[in-house]
Amino acid sequence: MTTVFNDPTQFAHDMLAGFCRLHADAVQPVSGGCVRATDTPEGKVAVVIGGGSGHYPAFAGWVGPGMADGAVVGNIFASPSAQQVHAVAKSAQRGGGVFLSYGNYAGDVLNFDLAQERLNAEGIPTRTVVVADDVTSASPEERHKRRGTTGDLVVFKIAGAAAEAGYDLDGVVDVAQRANDATYSFAVAFAGCTLPGDAEPLFTVPKGRMAVGMGVHGEPGIGEQDVLPSADLARMLVEKLLDERPEGASRAAVLVNGLGGIKYEEMFVLWNDIAPLLEQAGVEIVAPEVGELITSLDMAGVSLTLFWLDAELEDLWLAPAQTPAFRRGSAIATTRRDPAEIEEAVATTYGPASPQSQASARELVAIGQRITQALHEHEAELGKLDSIAGDGDHGRGMTSGADAALAALGEAVNAGAGVASALAAAGDAWGDRAGGTSGALWGAGLRAAAGALEDSSAVTGAQVRAAVRAGLDHILSYGKAERGDKTMLDALIPFTEALEQDSRDLAQAWPAAAEIATTEADATADLTPRIGRARPLAERSVGHPDPGAISLALVVRTAAG
């Protein structure tokens, strides 16, 4: 189990700080993660990778020449926020655009996509390749649904080598996608992993048994069976992956990965059985890797990855790389990048604002204070409601988001920001601190709403209506839910429609729309969840309103004063 920590809630933060302190010659900490401490040419494509902590050497261990320019580091097994992705990308980018890559998990997809949209809107061309290599998580016909596992290393190495060689953004995307399409992984686990501070592992495997097809967070695989001798385990892994061998493929990079609780000696035994099987099948092995390549804290498990090569991909796989955790070829000459330049890239600045807009921003702080107080008063109630069919963290997530948003509002107002900039800062802070899909959507919605306001004038009723609509539309564009799915949308959609249809002054229309939102939120008790964490326990949810809808109604009702 994980035993070395101080405050378990700060484990990821402390881990990153220690890593950056140890490797200060290679990486520099920035908000959200770390970037190269060494200089890179102007115009180079910035390769930015990331995901949750607990998988070292993924992801910070792969920052350096020949691989990544920056790594976004989320909490243990949790997606980083869109704000973290944006901050690291801004710190890493050098004018050639940004290439984002990460494993195929819902939270990562949502937050990296939100960051990509924002970077593109700021004039920084940004593209993505999502790693999807786990053969047990979806069929060949639905490869796009597969999880990203040890294939992360493959795709990141290829993208990093291409960027280092001077490929433009389209070229990096092309070779990275080809590498992703040519990569197949299969894992087994003998024991679960334990989060810092937890007394029990995330999952257990009976003694003498192994879970087949497990994901790197302990996600279920395709079954369970008796532990096999190394020779038989090697045969099972190899045969499973050769079932999807591309036609005509003969050369492959091969990776045996330990998930954290397997000793190197054991992996060497397994490799001694895997290599002959591949050779007998006519596979020419190129630059194999055996070791801890992407872990899952202390999970006892192992995976096999085959990366089928063409001439270009082979050259990129063999190209030099110099990172704290992955080195290949001769040393790469580097010079240190000015740390002040990195810090300046993400410094918060606000443009000019009229006195009227600044006054509107101050009013927003007063509204934020009321909302934060109300959420704290209802935190336990929201958590209890969420625990019926979820994990019970909705109340804490909402208060964490609101606290951060209020602090950001205050800082923005003190810096002279107008109402649009202040609300955008609040949205960023909410999304960064609240966590989970709900937090990401609240943050994205608030930032989108800010786009309908102006720093040059006071807020009008028409602008407020447009801001609410912009927030809703943005959430709808990223979320997979719709009205009737038992989510926050069951309150937000009727609230927005009522506000738009009411021609009275905002002071009258808003409270009326908030009452409609409250009624609709209460009515979600009759609905069955069709999406999100509550869906697997849908029957438990019936008879209880959705916590996301209830908190949304509380927020808009409190905002009315």
Side-chain angles (χ1 to χ4, degrees), residues 244-282:
E244 295 192 33
R245 181 178 187 172
E247 185 176 353
S250 60
R251 295 174 66 79
V254 185
L255 296 80
V256 172
N257 173 53
L259 286 163
I262 294 293
K263 305 301 291 182
Y264 272 73
E265 290 89 340
E266 295 174 271
M267 287 185 274
F268 297 151
V269 171
L270 184 61
W271 175 249
N272 195 49
D273 291 319
I274 285 174
L277 292 174
L278 291 171
E279 292 165 355
Q280 291 166 19

Side-chain angles (χ1 to χ4, degrees), residues 193-448:
C193 55
T194 306
L195 300 181
D198 285 4
E200 301 294 333
L202 283 178
F203 68 94
T204 58
V205 181
K207 186 176 181 180
R209 302 279 286 176
M210 64 181 185
V212 179
M214 297 294 289
V216 292
H217 308 99
E219 301 94 335
I222 56 176
E224 186 182 286
Q225 67 180 69
D226 290 341
V227 172
L228 299 172
S230 176
D232 294 332
L233 175 59
R235 186 171 294 103
M236 182 182 75
L237 294 170
V238 168
E239 290 178 352
K240 180 68 174 178
L241 295 187
L242 289 181
D243 282 345
E244 295 192 33
R245 181 178 187 172
E247 185 176 353
S250 60
R251 295 174 66 79
V254 185
L255 296 80
V256 172
N257 173 53
L259 286 163
I262 294 293
K263 305 301 291 182
Y264 272 73
E265 290 89 340
E266 295 174 271
M267 287 185 274
F268 297 151
V269 171
L270 184 61
W271 175 249
N272 195 49
D273 291 319
I274 285 174
L277 292 174
L278 291 171
E279 292 165 355
Q280 291 166 19
V283 178
E284 298 175 66
I285 299 172
V286 178
E289 295 286 338
V290 177
E292 291 186 346
L293 309 175
I294 177 167
T295 59
S296 183
L297 289 175
D298 59 336
M299 185 191 295
V302 65
S303 67
L304 175 65
T305 298
L306 298 185
F307 168 35
W308 298 99
L309 301 167
D310 61 26
E312 183 179 22
L313 292 178
E314 183 170 337
D315 286 344
L316 294 170
W317 178 244
L318 297 175
Q322 189 169 303
T323 77
F326 187 93
R327 292 176 178 266
R328 174 161 293 159
S330 57
I332 301 172
T334 60
T335 57
R336 189 167 183 85
R337 187 178 175 189
D338 183 358
E341 177 187 305
I342 298 174
E343 294 170 1
E344 184 180 349
V346 289
T348 301
T349 58
Y350 300 103
S354 70
Q356 295 85 353
S357 186
Q358 290 173 330
S360 293
R362 289 193 292 272
E363 293 176 10
L364 202 58
V365 172
I367 293 171
Q369 290 171 337
R370 294 200 304 271
I371 290 172
T372 300
Q373 181 179 346
L375 286 170
H376 275 282
E377 291 172 353
H378 290 81
E379 178 180 338
E381 170 191 333
L382 293 170
K384 184 177 180 180
L385 190 59
D386 187 39
S387 67
I388 293 169
D391 53 13
D393 67 348
H394 185 67
R396 177 61 58 86
M398 290 296 291
T399 55
S400 296
D403 286 344
L406 181 59
L409 276 174
E411 291 174 4
V413 166
N414 290 336
V419 66
S421 295
L423 184 59
D428 286 349
W430 190 306
D432 192 38
R433 292 294 299 277
T437 301
S438 174
L441 293 177
W442 266 97
L446 290 171
R447 171 163 271 279

Side-chain angles (χ1 to χ4, degrees), residues 25-171:
D25 60 328
V27 298
Q28 177 172 334
V30 296
S31 176
C34 62
V35 297
R36 286 194 203 183
T38 53
D39 207 357
T40 56
E42 287 289 338
K44 176 187 176 297
V45 174
V47 174
V48 176
I49 62 178
S53 298
H55 302 302
Y56 190 83
F59 297 90
W62 297 332
V63 173
M67 286 192 72
D69 296 274
V72 195
V73 181
N75 210 336
I76 299 294
F77 294 174
S79 166
S81 69
Q83 288 66 41
Q84 288 178 290
V85 179
H86 178 265
V88 172
K90 287 274 288 191
S91 300
Q93 71 93 19
R94 301 291 281 165
V98 173
F99 171 82
L100 301 176
S101 196
Y102 50 90
N104 189 21
Y105 300 92
D108 294 282
V109 171
L110 172 62
N111 283 294
F112 275 84
D113 278 357
L114 287 168
Q116 175 174 310
E117 179 184 80
R118 183 173 170 187
L119 290 164
N120 280 318
E122 294 172 353
I124 301 173
T126 305
R127 302 275 298 280
T128 295
V129 170
V130 181
V131 182
D133 60 302
D134 179 11
V135 300
T136 63
S137 54
S139 67
E141 293 73 29
E142 294 186 307
R143 281 206 59 172
H144 63 285
K145 294 183 179 180
R146 287 181 169 175
R147 299 180 291 229
T149 57
T150 313
D152 284 354
L153 173 59
V154 169
V155 175
F156 302 164
K157 172 64 176 72
I158 296 303
E164 204 73 37
Y167 285 46
D168 64 13
L169 184 56
D170 287 341

